[in-house]
Amino acid sequence: MDSPHGAAVKAEGFGLKGPRGWVFRGVDLDAAPGALIALEGPSGSGRTCLLLALTGRMKPTEGHAEIGRHRLPKKMAAVRRISALGPVPGVNDLDQALTVAEQLREGALLQRRYDGPVRALLRPRGERRASAEARIAAALAAVGLDPATLPKGPRTSVRDLERLESVRLSLAVALLGNPRLLAVDDLDLKLSDAERAEAWALLRSLADRGTTVLAVCSEAPEGVTVLRTVAAGEPATTGAPTAPARPAVACDAGPKITWGRPAAPASPADADAATGPAPDNDTDGKTDGKTDGKTDGNTDGKTGGKPGGNTGGNTDGKPDGEKPTTAPTAKTTEPTTNTTDEDPKGADDALAETGRA
């Protein structure tokens, strides 16, 4: 049964599957309007995703839920209109560059522009301003936040607020739209025991006024409706609906990358240099280029006109297939490629290829 203000929350076989597996699955819930529901579980067990799915911000994969007679996942837009998010890190964080007064005015402006009726935009400016100030004052009173008690009053920067004061401000911004379902994430994060008890007392007071409250926590207090989620590999709590976390999936190893490019040769010459030395029959190529360049260059280019020269050279201009028997000289000359003329370009190429090898 739904109330004029609060929204009943029902779920049956509710589950959400992501690219890496199930985030939560098999969630069953039945809470009356104005209930205080605690989503209890360790970090990484799908608590925040379940919170967003029940408020129409994430589309479930299996099962169904009913929020104030709006069935999910078909009526997600309708559920978003009757629900509001309090502090949810990474989703609706407060703007740290604004002051408290600016944050409240911005929230009232956005609520009137996107969530309010169209006829509200046609009212005179003074009437709209008075209505926004009245809603801001009512929201601040509901969460117990008095801007006058802050260090700089309403001009206090949001970044200078304590954790509990930041929670109160986020709740005040969420209450500007008079929602039927209010969602809060990580309520007990960075709070002492006394501050945690004060925060739960605040949520209980909001629930007593008729607003249904969903709160994510690590440990729920007494006297609230508890929905427990468990991490993967842990046994489920007896008698409580569970929401197992998504299993870890190993990623396939990709190709080896060297300096931002795949480790592959850029040209056939580089491929030969990377795979190993050239075959032995390539006497004028890369491996024997330096030796043949020194020996044959001396015999072919110099001994033809000198008597008593190097008699082991090739004096008739034909290539000699046998390797020289004498050690190469220290002077580097141009290698031959089956010709008797010297080729300076060939010598440079041979030296470059020998250096690569």
mmCIF file of all heavy atoms in Angstrom, residues 300-335:
data_model
loop_
_atom_site.group_PDB
_atom_site.id
_atom_site.type_symbol
_atom_site.label_atom_id
_atom_site.label_comp_id
_atom_site.label_asym_id
_atom_site.label_seq_id
_atom_site.Cartn_x
_atom_site.Cartn_y
_atom_site.Cartn_z
ATOM 1 N N ASP A 300 91.261 -6.153 -56.820
ATOM 2 C CA ASP A 300 90.667 -5.749 -58.090
ATOM 3 C C ASP A 300 91.022 -4.315 -58.465
ATOM 4 O O ASP A 300 91.114 -3.982 -59.630
ATOM 5 C CB ASP A 300 89.142 -5.865 -58.009
ATOM 6 C CG ASP A 300 88.743 -7.328 -57.854
ATOM 7 O OD1 ASP A 300 89.570 -8.179 -58.146
ATOM 8 O OD2 ASP A 300 87.578 -7.570 -57.412
ATOM 9 N N GLY A 301 91.130 -3.437 -57.445
ATOM 10 C CA GLY A 301 91.328 -2.023 -57.781
ATOM 11 C C GLY A 301 92.774 -1.590 -57.831
ATOM 12 O O GLY A 301 93.073 -0.546 -58.388
ATOM 13 N N LYS A 302 93.729 -2.352 -57.259
ATOM 14 C CA LYS A 302 95.087 -1.836 -57.113
ATOM 15 C C LYS A 302 96.171 -2.724 -57.714
ATOM 16 O O LYS A 302 97.211 -2.257 -58.091
ATOM 17 C CB LYS A 302 95.392 -1.613 -55.632
ATOM 18 C CG LYS A 302 94.470 -0.594 -54.989
ATOM 19 C CD LYS A 302 94.796 -0.403 -53.537
ATOM 20 C CE LYS A 302 93.854 0.622 -52.906
ATOM 21 N NZ LYS A 302 94.145 0.837 -51.487
ATOM 22 N N THR A 303 96.013 -4.010 -57.789
ATOM 23 C CA THR A 303 97.112 -4.887 -58.203
ATOM 24 C C THR A 303 97.245 -4.961 -59.709
ATOM 25 O O THR A 303 98.218 -5.509 -60.217
ATOM 26 C CB THR A 303 96.897 -6.305 -57.672
ATOM 27 O OG1 THR A 303 95.630 -6.787 -58.158
ATOM 28 C CG2 THR A 303 96.847 -6.289 -56.149
ATOM 29 N N GLY A 304 96.233 -4.457 -60.452
ATOM 30 C CA GLY A 304 96.322 -4.555 -61.909
ATOM 31 C C GLY A 304 97.469 -3.732 -62.470
ATOM 32 O O GLY A 304 98.030 -4.078 -63.508
ATOM 33 N N GLY A 305 97.869 -2.645 -61.840
ATOM 34 C CA GLY A 305 98.922 -1.796 -62.419
ATOM 35 C C GLY A 305 100.196 -1.796 -61.635
ATOM 36 O O GLY A 305 101.067 -0.984 -61.895
ATOM 37 N N LYS A 306 100.355 -2.704 -60.634
ATOM 38 C CA LYS A 306 101.557 -2.735 -59.836
ATOM 39 C C LYS A 306 102.200 -4.092 -59.934
ATOM 40 O O LYS A 306 101.583 -5.104 -59.625
ATOM 41 C CB LYS A 306 101.252 -2.423 -58.360
ATOM 42 C CG LYS A 306 100.800 -0.991 -58.132
ATOM 43 C CD LYS A 306 100.555 -0.770 -56.662
ATOM 44 C CE LYS A 306 100.075 0.655 -56.408
ATOM 45 N NZ LYS A 306 99.850 0.913 -54.991
ATOM 46 N N PRO A 307 103.469 -4.165 -60.367
ATOM 47 C CA PRO A 307 104.155 -5.468 -60.379
ATOM 48 C C PRO A 307 104.516 -5.882 -58.968
ATOM 49 O O PRO A 307 104.837 -5.055 -58.130
ATOM 50 C CB PRO A 307 105.393 -5.194 -61.247
ATOM 51 C CG PRO A 307 105.644 -3.752 -61.113
ATOM 52 C CD PRO A 307 104.313 -3.102 -60.957
ATOM 53 N N GLY A 308 104.464 -7.181 -58.775
ATOM 54 C CA GLY A 308 104.843 -7.683 -57.462
ATOM 55 C C GLY A 308 103.827 -7.364 -56.412
ATOM 56 O O GLY A 308 104.190 -7.301 -55.252
ATOM 57 N N GLY A 309 102.599 -7.120 -56.844
ATOM 58 C CA GLY A 309 101.560 -6.779 -55.881
ATOM 59 C C GLY A 309 100.991 -8.035 -55.251
ATOM 60 O O GLY A 309 101.637 -9.060 -55.135
ATOM 61 N N ASN A 310 99.801 -7.909 -54.863
ATOM 62 C CA ASN A 310 99.074 -8.999 -54.204
ATOM 63 C C ASN A 310 98.666 -9.998 -55.257
ATOM 64 O O ASN A 310 97.745 -9.802 -56.031
ATOM 65 C CB ASN A 310 97.854 -8.422 -53.480
ATOM 66 C CG ASN A 310 97.280 -9.457 -52.545
ATOM 67 O OD1 ASN A 310 97.736 -10.587 -52.542
ATOM 68 N ND2 ASN A 310 96.293 -9.029 -51.770
ATOM 69 N N THR A 311 99.410 -11.149 -55.365
ATOM 70 C CA THR A 311 99.190 -12.117 -56.431
ATOM 71 C C THR A 311 97.987 -12.980 -56.172
ATOM 72 O O THR A 311 97.553 -13.701 -57.050
ATOM 73 C CB THR A 311 100.442 -13.017 -56.571
ATOM 74 O OG1 THR A 311 100.673 -13.663 -55.309
ATOM 75 C CG2 THR A 311 101.650 -12.183 -56.943
ATOM 76 N N GLY A 312 97.419 -12.942 -54.981
ATOM 77 C CA GLY A 312 96.243 -13.776 -54.711
ATOM 78 C C GLY A 312 94.960 -13.126 -55.133
ATOM 79 O O GLY A 312 93.892 -13.685 -54.916
ATOM 80 N N GLY A 313 94.978 -11.944 -55.737
ATOM 81 C CA GLY A 313 93.749 -11.238 -56.101
ATOM 82 C C GLY A 313 93.220 -11.720 -57.422
ATOM 83 O O GLY A 313 93.799 -12.544 -58.115
ATOM 84 N N ASN A 314 92.134 -11.142 -57.817
ATOM 85 C CA ASN A 314 91.476 -11.485 -59.069
ATOM 86 C C ASN A 314 91.922 -10.482 -60.108
ATOM 87 O O ASN A 314 91.396 -9.404 -60.226
ATOM 88 C CB ASN A 314 89.953 -11.419 -58.867
ATOM 89 C CG ASN A 314 89.220 -11.952 -60.092
ATOM 90 O OD1 ASN A 314 89.843 -12.393 -61.049
ATOM 91 N ND2 ASN A 314 87.893 -11.870 -60.045
ATOM 92 N N THR A 315 92.987 -10.834 -60.935
ATOM 93 C CA THR A 315 93.593 -9.887 -61.869
ATOM 94 C C THR A 315 92.885 -9.867 -63.196
ATOM 95 O O THR A 315 93.125 -8.965 -63.983
ATOM 96 C CB THR A 315 95.080 -10.250 -62.078
ATOM 97 O OG1 THR A 315 95.164 -11.583 -62.572
ATOM 98 C CG2 THR A 315 95.825 -10.142 -60.766
ATOM 99 N N ASP A 316 92.084 -10.859 -63.530
ATOM 100 C CA ASP A 316 91.435 -10.882 -64.839
ATOM 101 C C ASP A 316 90.056 -10.245 -64.815
ATOM 102 O O ASP A 316 89.301 -10.338 -65.779
ATOM 103 C CB ASP A 316 91.324 -12.313 -65.362
ATOM 104 C CG ASP A 316 90.620 -13.205 -64.359
ATOM 105 O OD1 ASP A 316 90.239 -12.680 -63.282
ATOM 106 O OD2 ASP A 316 90.444 -14.401 -64.658
ATOM 107 N N GLY A 317 89.629 -9.578 -63.688
ATOM 108 C CA GLY A 317 88.345 -8.875 -63.645
ATOM 109 C C GLY A 317 87.175 -9.760 -63.319
ATOM 110 O O GLY A 317 86.036 -9.306 -63.324
ATOM 111 N N LYS A 318 87.382 -11.080 -63.039
ATOM 112 C CA LYS A 318 86.292 -11.990 -62.719
ATOM 113 C C LYS A 318 86.203 -12.160 -61.205
ATOM 114 O O LYS A 318 87.191 -12.105 -60.518
ATOM 115 C CB LYS A 318 86.521 -13.345 -63.386
ATOM 116 C CG LYS A 318 86.510 -13.269 -64.901
ATOM 117 C CD LYS A 318 86.717 -14.648 -65.510
ATOM 118 C CE LYS A 318 86.730 -14.573 -67.041
ATOM 119 N NZ LYS A 318 86.914 -15.900 -67.643
ATOM 120 N N PRO A 319 85.001 -12.370 -60.695
ATOM 121 C CA PRO A 319 84.870 -12.549 -59.231
ATOM 122 C C PRO A 319 85.492 -13.834 -58.767
ATOM 123 O O PRO A 319 85.460 -14.858 -59.446
ATOM 124 C CB PRO A 319 83.351 -12.544 -59.024
ATOM 125 C CG PRO A 319 82.779 -12.969 -60.331
ATOM 126 C CD PRO A 319 83.694 -12.451 -61.383
ATOM 127 N N ASP A 320 86.102 -13.792 -57.631
ATOM 128 C CA ASP A 320 86.761 -14.945 -57.040
ATOM 129 C C ASP A 320 85.882 -15.498 -55.942
ATOM 130 O O ASP A 320 85.575 -14.810 -54.977
ATOM 131 C CB ASP A 320 88.118 -14.511 -56.464
ATOM 132 C CG ASP A 320 88.921 -15.727 -56.017
ATOM 133 O OD1 ASP A 320 88.419 -16.854 -56.192
ATOM 134 O OD2 ASP A 320 90.016 -15.505 -55.481
ATOM 135 N N GLY A 321 85.392 -16.722 -56.077
ATOM 136 C CA GLY A 321 84.484 -17.311 -55.108
ATOM 137 C C GLY A 321 85.152 -17.706 -53.819
ATOM 138 O O GLY A 321 84.493 -17.926 -52.815
ATOM 139 N N GLU A 322 86.508 -17.891 -53.822
ATOM 140 C CA GLU A 322 87.187 -18.314 -52.613
ATOM 141 C C GLU A 322 87.469 -17.131 -51.709
ATOM 142 O O GLU A 322 87.688 -16.031 -52.166
ATOM 143 C CB GLU A 322 88.508 -18.991 -52.978
ATOM 144 C CG GLU A 322 88.313 -20.270 -53.810
ATOM 145 C CD GLU A 322 89.639 -20.922 -54.117
ATOM 146 O OE1 GLU A 322 90.666 -20.346 -53.718
ATOM 147 O OE2 GLU A 322 89.649 -21.993 -54.742
ATOM 148 N N LYS A 323 87.422 -17.399 -50.392
ATOM 149 C CA LYS A 323 87.715 -16.358 -49.412
ATOM 150 C C LYS A 323 89.206 -16.122 -49.330
ATOM 151 O O LYS A 323 90.005 -17.046 -49.538
ATOM 152 C CB LYS A 323 87.180 -16.748 -48.033
ATOM 153 C CG LYS A 323 85.674 -16.860 -48.006
ATOM 154 C CD LYS A 323 85.180 -17.182 -46.620
ATOM 155 C CE LYS A 323 83.664 -17.252 -46.588
ATOM 156 N NZ LYS A 323 83.155 -17.552 -45.244
ATOM 157 N N PRO A 324 89.657 -14.927 -49.054
ATOM 158 C CA PRO A 324 91.094 -14.627 -49.013
ATOM 159 C C PRO A 324 91.773 -15.348 -47.869
ATOM 160 O O PRO A 324 91.182 -15.581 -46.817
ATOM 161 C CB PRO A 324 91.134 -13.109 -48.828
ATOM 162 C CG PRO A 324 89.839 -12.789 -48.185
ATOM 163 C CD PRO A 324 88.853 -13.764 -48.766
ATOM 164 N N THR A 325 93.027 -15.673 -48.111
ATOM 165 C CA THR A 325 93.798 -16.379 -47.095
ATOM 166 C C THR A 325 94.533 -15.419 -46.190
ATOM 167 O O THR A 325 94.975 -15.805 -45.111
ATOM 168 C CB THR A 325 94.817 -17.331 -47.765
ATOM 169 O OG1 THR A 325 95.640 -16.580 -48.632
ATOM 170 C CG2 THR A 325 94.074 -18.400 -48.571
ATOM 171 N N THR A 326 94.716 -14.190 -46.615
ATOM 172 C CA THR A 326 95.441 -13.219 -45.800
ATOM 173 C C THR A 326 94.457 -12.407 -44.991
ATOM 174 O O THR A 326 93.294 -12.270 -45.361
ATOM 175 C CB THR A 326 96.272 -12.280 -46.692
ATOM 176 O OG1 THR A 326 95.390 -11.603 -47.576
ATOM 177 C CG2 THR A 326 97.305 -13.073 -47.472
ATOM 178 N N ALA A 327 94.927 -11.870 -43.890
ATOM 179 C CA ALA A 327 94.070 -11.061 -43.008
ATOM 180 C C ALA A 327 93.733 -9.747 -43.686
ATOM 181 O O ALA A 327 94.564 -9.172 -44.385
ATOM 182 C CB ALA A 327 94.780 -10.792 -41.683
ATOM 183 N N PRO A 328 92.531 -9.228 -43.500
ATOM 184 C CA PRO A 328 92.164 -7.943 -44.121
ATOM 185 C C PRO A 328 92.980 -6.808 -43.523
ATOM 186 O O PRO A 328 93.330 -6.827 -42.360
ATOM 187 C CB PRO A 328 90.675 -7.802 -43.783
ATOM 188 C CG PRO A 328 90.474 -8.667 -42.581
ATOM 189 C CD PRO A 328 91.438 -9.801 -42.726
ATOM 190 N N THR A 329 93.265 -5.847 -44.376
ATOM 191 C CA THR A 329 94.049 -4.694 -43.940
ATOM 192 C C THR A 329 93.191 -3.766 -43.119
ATOM 193 O O THR A 329 91.966 -3.845 -43.135
ATOM 194 C CB THR A 329 94.611 -3.948 -45.167
ATOM 195 O OG1 THR A 329 93.507 -3.510 -45.958
ATOM 196 C CG2 THR A 329 95.509 -4.857 -45.976
ATOM 197 N N ALA A 330 93.832 -2.879 -42.426
ATOM 198 C CA ALA A 330 93.111 -1.937 -41.571
ATOM 199 C C ALA A 330 92.365 -0.900 -42.380
ATOM 200 O O ALA A 330 91.415 -0.300 -41.909
ATOM 201 C CB ALA A 330 94.083 -1.242 -40.616
ATOM 202 N N LYS A 331 92.802 -0.688 -43.616
ATOM 203 C CA LYS A 331 92.160 0.316 -44.455
ATOM 204 C C LYS A 331 90.866 -0.244 -45.013
ATOM 205 O O LYS A 331 90.831 -1.326 -45.570
ATOM 206 C CB LYS A 331 93.102 0.735 -45.581
ATOM 207 C CG LYS A 331 92.502 1.829 -46.459
ATOM 208 C CD LYS A 331 93.475 2.221 -47.545
ATOM 209 C CE LYS A 331 92.887 3.316 -48.425
ATOM 210 N NZ LYS A 331 93.819 3.715 -49.494
ATOM 211 N N THR A 332 89.807 0.500 -44.871
ATOM 212 C CA THR A 332 88.492 0.054 -45.333
ATOM 213 C C THR A 332 88.268 0.583 -46.733
ATOM 214 O O THR A 332 88.352 1.784 -46.982
ATOM 215 C CB THR A 332 87.395 0.591 -44.415
ATOM 216 O OG1 THR A 332 87.654 0.127 -43.094
ATOM 217 C CG2 THR A 332 86.024 0.106 -44.867
ATOM 218 N N THR A 333 87.992 -0.340 -47.672
ATOM 219 C CA THR A 333 87.730 0.041 -49.056
ATOM 220 C C THR A 333 86.351 -0.437 -49.453
ATOM 221 O O THR A 333 85.658 -1.109 -48.699
ATOM 222 C CB THR A 333 88.797 -0.562 -49.993
ATOM 223 O OG1 THR A 333 88.781 -1.984 -49.839
ATOM 224 C CG2 THR A 333 90.183 -0.027 -49.641
ATOM 225 N N GLU A 334 85.967 -0.115 -50.661
ATOM 226 C CA GLU A 334 84.619 -0.399 -51.144
ATOM 227 C C GLU A 334 84.498 -1.871 -51.511
ATOM 228 O O GLU A 334 85.368 -2.457 -52.124
ATOM 229 C CB GLU A 334 84.312 0.455 -52.382
ATOM 230 C CG GLU A 334 84.262 1.950 -52.094
ATOM 231 C CD GLU A 334 85.652 2.542 -52.013
ATOM 232 O OE1 GLU A 334 86.620 1.791 -52.325
ATOM 233 O OE2 GLU A 334 85.777 3.699 -51.636
ATOM 234 N N PRO A 335 83.375 -2.522 -51.149
ATOM 235 C CA PRO A 335 83.172 -3.930 -51.533
ATOM 236 C C PRO A 335 82.794 -4.017 -53.000
ATOM 237 O O PRO A 335 82.289 -3.077 -53.593
ATOM 238 C CB PRO A 335 82.028 -4.364 -50.624
ATOM 239 C CG PRO A 335 81.263 -3.117 -50.367
ATOM 240 C CD PRO A 335 82.272 -2.011 -50.343
#
